[in-house]
Amino acid sequence: MHTFVVLALASAAFAAPSNLVARTPTRSYPDDSLQRRYDVNEARASAVAQTFQIGWDGYYEFAFPNDELEPVSNGFQNPRNGWAATAVDALDTAIIMGLDTIVYQILDYIPNINFHQSYENESVSLFETTIRYIGGMLSAYDLLTGPFSNTAKNMTTEVNSLLEQAQDLANVLAYAFNTTTGIPYNDLFINNDTYADSTPVNGIATIGSLVLEWTHLSDLSGDSTYGQLAQKGESYLLDPKPAWAQPFPGLIGTNVNITSGEFLDADGGWVGGDDSFYEYLLKMYVYDQSRFAEYKDRWTAAADSTIRYLTSHPLTLPNITFIAEFSNTSLIDTSEELACFDGGNFILGGLALKEHKYLDYGLALAAGCYNTYNSTATGIGPEIFSWNASTVPEDQAQFFDEHGFYITDAVYVLRPEFLESLYYAYRATGNTMYQDWSWQTFLAINRTTHVGSGYSDINNVNVEGGGGFLNVQESFFFAEVLKYGYLIHAPDGQYQVDYRGEQQFVFNTEAQ
């Protein structure tokens, strides 16, 4: 998942900007004056914050301190071990939005979370717990001891508890890495320090999306062990074996044998299960260029191969750009909303590496995902879609002819990835078209998913009204959807992506 909730502070010194800094803000309409755009942005940011407040109020009344609200029934559920996932996920967004009452409610509660006990002893996902809980607490700690130090200046104990609790949680999870290779198991029974995985297999996203948070925890705590654990597992992904597991330079298979460290397949792409591995290769370099230059080299290899080998254009709409999946060297013309983060990742690569080819490619990918949103009855993109012209369902033939893709899974589970790429596109170019696309998407989400005491996953993006509600308000709705929807209209700040490539913060895959 991609994913935005926490902001991990980047410690690197960055090179002087090159010609990529010549950003000329472009406004969507000739009469779109700077003052009008300022007023529009202020109103839009306020509206996004209002949606945050509505969703939070429902959660706080009916579900807190459980993980997530069921907005249709005013119930709750605990898919993330009962540690108040929504509250932790929402904290840094509330800080940035200036919703101080919510900030204080969450800060008061976090010191009381017992990370040694999972709800009903259910298994704990190392990946999800890292990106949401550890990432969320570290992000809030960075903000409250940095640019928002005045927000909770009278709550020093609670702010310090964010780092203490993140470290305590990491200590609970650390046995996951106690394997012959150092590659961790992902699913854990923490009540007895055993593994819930039935086989010794893990995937590149769940192995490769720990290194940012665990390294940052080491940097903040002064204990190098955390970063070393995550980096050891990552090392098998940086040097994949056997050779056939890398069918294109830099692009690798998905599943890894934990015992041997060898890959089990050569299937992959930029979709769920693979996505945030590639995302973190670049972000580790942005975090610290001196320590993680090798990660940049691996990202560059993957990015270049993606452009050369995986770029795909629909038969009926050849001006649209998608990234195909692969099985060995065969391409699969299928993608997901989850993969819509890829445009933002390429744009960030263009900024960090001063390379126009990555920036331009990222903008093309963002436009491709805009097409998947703008084409449906709700204005929201589907979970999974395809452009394989040989397997078009009869009832979607006209849709495929008009839009260049067809829907294979129509649900929408409050995903943020398209909004994420629009955020990077605007921050890099200054083109207000991307703000307008983001606002259009926010309105569609707000209109279609609002129900009962909050906002819910929906059944079908291509049916007016969404085809019914799944009765789940995802925690990452606050961490990512509303964060990206807000930041794209918000004033500059040191936590914003900098178009000159001089990043002071880097977002994890949960937007933390």
Side-chain angles (χ1 to χ4, degrees):
M1 143 171 12
H2 283 69
T3 263
F4 180 116
V5 201
V6 178
L7 299 149
L9 193 60
S11 61
F14 292 88
S18 70
N19 59 348
L20 264 184
V21 306
R23 181 181 77 159
T24 302
T26 305
R27 291 182 289 282
S28 301
Y29 309 103
D31 62 346
D32 194 11
S33 68
L34 288 175
Q35 182 60 49
R36 176 192 174 278
R37 178 56 62 166
Y38 175 84
D39 294 340
V40 165
N41 286 344
E42 187 174 46
R44 289 175 174 179
S46 177
V48 177
Q50 183 181 23
T51 293
F52 185 104
Q53 184 74 59
I54 292 169
W56 172 263
D57 287 346
Y59 166 74
Y60 195 70
E61 180 176 359
F62 297 110
F64 179 81
N66 295 282
D67 286 341
E68 293 174 342
L69 169 69
E70 297 174 339
V72 177
S73 59
N74 294 333
F76 62 84
Q77 56 182 247
N78 285 298
R80 296 294 160 222
N81 309 104
W83 296 328
T86 291
V88 180
D89 247 357
L91 178 55
D92 68 332
T93 307
I95 294 168
I96 292 168
M97 289 180 172
L99 301 174
D100 291 354
T101 298
I102 296 175
V103 173
Y104 302 151
Q105 289 170 334
I106 300 172
L107 283 178
D108 277 335
Y109 183 73
I110 285 179
N112 300 311
I113 300 175
N114 179 10
F115 288 117
H116 295 256
Q117 179 63 53
S118 170
Y119 177 76
E120 295 185 350
N121 286 327
E122 292 181 350
S123 65
V124 176
S125 166
L126 176 63
F127 165 72
E128 296 286 357
T129 304
T130 292
I131 66 172
R132 299 183 195 224
Y133 288 111
I134 295 179
M137 290 186 287
L138 295 184
S139 172
Y141 179 82
D142 285 337
L143 292 172
L144 292 174
T145 58
F148 292 90
S149 58
N150 287 329
T151 297
K153 60 184 178 182
N154 296 321
M155 302 181 73
T156 303
T157 299
E158 289 83 357
V159 171
N160 289 337
S161 180
L162 294 169
L163 178 57
E164 294 164 1
Q165 284 283 66
Q167 193 168 2
D168 184 50
L169 177 54
N171 291 339
V172 169
L173 302 173
Y175 78 91
F177 299 90
N178 188 22
T179 65
T180 55
T181 57
I183 297 172
Y185 281 86
N186 185 64
D187 296 315
L188 313 173
F189 287 124
I190 62 169
N191 60 308
N192 58 9
D193 286 1
T194 58
Y195 306 126
D197 305 87
S198 58
T199 57
V201 177
N202 204 345
I204 65 170
T206 43
I207 299 167
S209 306
L210 310 172
V211 66
L212 180 58
E213 295 85 353
W214 286 64
T215 297
H216 192 49
L217 179 59
S218 280
D219 292 343
L220 289 175
S221 68
D223 186 340
S224 62
T225 302
Y226 305 111
Q228 290 170 356
L229 288 173
Q231 291 164 34
K232 175 64 173 177
E234 182 89 12
S235 68
Y236 290 87
L237 311 184
L238 299 177
D239 184 24
K241 290 183 174 56
W244 54 256
Q246 186 174 212
F248 308 104
L251 295 172
I252 60 178
T254 296
N255 295 298
V256 183
N257 184 298
I258 293 172
T259 304
S260 69
E262 294 194 342
F263 276 75
L264 301 174
D265 59 58
D267 305 332
W270 289 71
V271 294
D274 306 298
D275 46 5
S276 47
F277 161 67
Y278 298 107
E279 176 187 1
Y280 274 29
L281 290 177
L282 175 65
K283 288 183 173 180
M284 288 305 292
Y285 175 71
V286 173
Y287 180 75
D288 191 325
Q289 294 183 6
S290 61
R291 282 191 286 172
F292 299 106
E294 180 185 4
Y295 288 61
K296 179 260 294 183
D297 294 339
R298 292 296 299 178
W299 184 86
T300 300
D304 289 344
S305 285
T306 297
I307 294 172
R308 180 175 180 182
Y309 299 110
L310 304 187
T311 300
S312 184
H313 305 287
L315 177 66
T316 60
L317 217 62
N319 61 320
I320 293 296
T321 300
F322 294 135
I323 295 177
E325 299 177 45
F326 61 86
S327 179
N328 295 300
T329 56
S330 298
L331 300 190
I332 303 167
D333 292 338
T334 299
S335 192
E336 308 171 351
E337 202 288 334
L338 277 169
C340 282
F341 89 98
D342 53 18
N345 195 239
F346 273 87
I347 292 167
L348 179 62
L351 297 178
L353 304 178
K354 319 300 182 194
E355 283 280 3
H356 271 289
K357 66 178 179 179
Y358 300 136
L359 175 62
D360 292 343
Y361 191 70
L363 295 176
L365 293 173
C369 282
Y370 174 72
N371 180 61
T372 67
Y373 270 68
N374 195 47
S375 298
T376 69
T378 60
I380 302 172
E383 178 75 353
I384 305 176
F385 58 94
S386 177
W387 58 101
N388 184 339
S390 66
T391 57
V392 181
E394 288 186 16
D395 61 351
Q396 293 194 65
Q398 182 177 350
F399 186 91
F400 177 64
D401 287 343
E402 294 176 359
H403 303 294
F405 73 98
Y406 53 93
I407 298 168
T408 59
D409 187 345
V411 303
Y412 173 66
V413 292
L414 300 178
R415 296 240 185 252
E417 284 74 19
F418 173 52
L419 289 170
E420 176 182 352
S421 284
L422 292 181
Y423 169 70
Y424 281 95
Y426 171 68
R427 293 299 303 177
T429 67
N431 189 336
T432 60
M433 176 184 72
Y434 298 113
Q435 289 181 310
D436 295 337
W437 286 3
S438 179
W439 178 244
Q440 172 187 334
T441 303
F442 166 75
L443 290 178
I445 293 170
N446 193 60
R447 176 177 61 246
T448 309
T449 68
H450 186 28
V451 62
S453 53
Y455 301 84
S456 173
D457 299 347
I458 58 173
N459 281 308
N460 193 328
V461 297
N462 210 27
V463 173
E464 290 287 348
F469 300 98
L470 299 175
N471 198 24
V472 180
Q473 181 174 271
E474 307 282 353
S475 72
F476 52 77
F477 180 63
F478 298 91
E480 301 184 77
V481 171
L482 299 181
K483 185 184 279 104
Y484 288 124
Y486 178 85
L487 283 177
I488 196 171
H489 302 296
D492 276 338
Q494 62 180 271
Y495 45 87
Q496 292 269 32
V497 168
D498 186 274
Y499 70 91
R500 296 163 298 185
E502 299 175 345
Q503 312 306 336
Q504 297 185 56
F505 286 76
V506 58
F507 298 116
N508 82 343
T509 196
E510 189 83 1
Q512 305 285 30

